[in-house]
Amino acid sequence: MLNFSRTTRVFLATEPTDMRKGFDGLFALVEKVIQEDPFSGHLFVFRNHRRDRLKVLWWDRDGLAIFYKRLERGSYQFPTDGVTAASKGVVGHENHTRRCEIRADELALLLEGIDLGSVKRRPRYERLTNGEVKTSSSSL
């Protein structure tokens, strides 16, 4: 199982991706679609149209790495599938773009087959990047 720190940012590409893409193709999608720096060390998650395959791209200090998982049965449920992210309380969702940001622990739940929309998070302290403080108690 993958293990990342709580400070690792995770970006989901909300539209299906051609799973034949390798390092260079996914790298280009990070720059053009997700609009982030592929060398940042953050995780960039892509899934296919049937939602049974998933690739995670990240920079691992000295090179790019890809995690690729194929489900034998079932599918992945992204927080943006079929409903608006705002109604599910997804933090960091940018409307009008093709990306969604989730937390590293939420990625672990997603990989385990848990629908993030059905999970309720208890109130916790959360410091935003601009120094503001926020307490969250919404659903994932």
Side-chain angles (χ1 to χ4, degrees), residues 59-74:
W59 178 257
D60 187 26
R61 292 184 309 241
D62 59 357
L64 289 170
I66 291 179
F67 170 80
Y68 187 18
K69 185 171 181 179
R70 180 188 75 191
L71 295 176
E72 296 301 319
R73 191 174 83 163

Side-chain angles (χ1 to χ4, degrees), residues 89 91 103 121-126 134-139:
V91 175
R103 296 169 27 159
R121 184 177 300 282
R122 302 293 299 162
R124 294 290 185 263
Y125 170 85
E126 181 177 341
K134 170 185 157 190
T135 54
S136 61
S137 62
S138 63
S139 298

Side-chain angles (χ1 to χ4, degrees), residues 1 15 26-27 34 42 53 60 63 68 81 83 89 97 107-108 129 131-132 138:
M1 184 63 191
E15 295 182 2
L26 295 176
F27 187 96
I34 298 178
H42 303 316
R53 294 166 194 230
D60 187 26
Y68 187 18
D81 290 344
V83 294
T97 65
L107 176 60
T129 55
E132 294 179 15
S138 63

Side-chain angles (χ1 to χ4, degrees), residues 18-138:
D18 180 355
M19 286 292 113
R20 294 174 292 182
K21 291 188 183 296
F23 292 101
D24 296 329
L26 295 176
F27 187 96
L29 286 177
V30 170
E31 290 182 317
K32 292 179 175 68
V33 174
I34 298 178
Q35 299 178 342
E36 289 288 332
D37 177 15
F39 297 115
S40 64
H42 303 316
L43 304 179
F44 303 99
V45 183
F46 305 90
R47 53 97 192 264
N48 68 341
H49 192 267
R50 291 188 323 211
R51 300 185 336 224
D52 66 343
R53 294 166 194 230
L54 184 123
K55 282 188 178 181
V56 180
L57 178 75
W58 75 96
W59 178 257
D60 187 26
R61 292 184 309 241
D62 59 357
L64 289 170
I66 291 179
F67 170 80
Y68 187 18
K69 185 171 181 179
R70 180 188 75 191
L71 295 176
E72 296 301 319
R73 191 174 83 163
S75 62
Y76 292 106
Q77 182 72 34
F78 275 26
T80 56
D81 290 344
V83 294
T84 62
S87 69
K88 290 295 185 182
V90 175
V91 175
H93 176 73
E94 290 90 58
N95 293 327
H96 312 297
T97 65
R98 297 178 287 175
R99 73 177 194 174
C100 173
E101 183 175 354
I102 63 173
R103 296 169 27 159
D105 57 342
E106 293 169 344
L107 176 60
L109 294 173
L110 192 143
L111 290 172
E112 289 296 321
I114 297 170
D115 180 359
L116 299 181
S118 67
V119 177
K120 181 165 174 57
R121 184 177 300 282
R122 302 293 299 162
R124 294 290 185 263
Y125 170 85
E126 181 177 341
R127 183 170 183 204
L128 302 178
T129 55
N130 60 3
E132 294 179 15
V133 175
K134 170 185 157 190
T135 54
S136 61
S137 62
S138 63

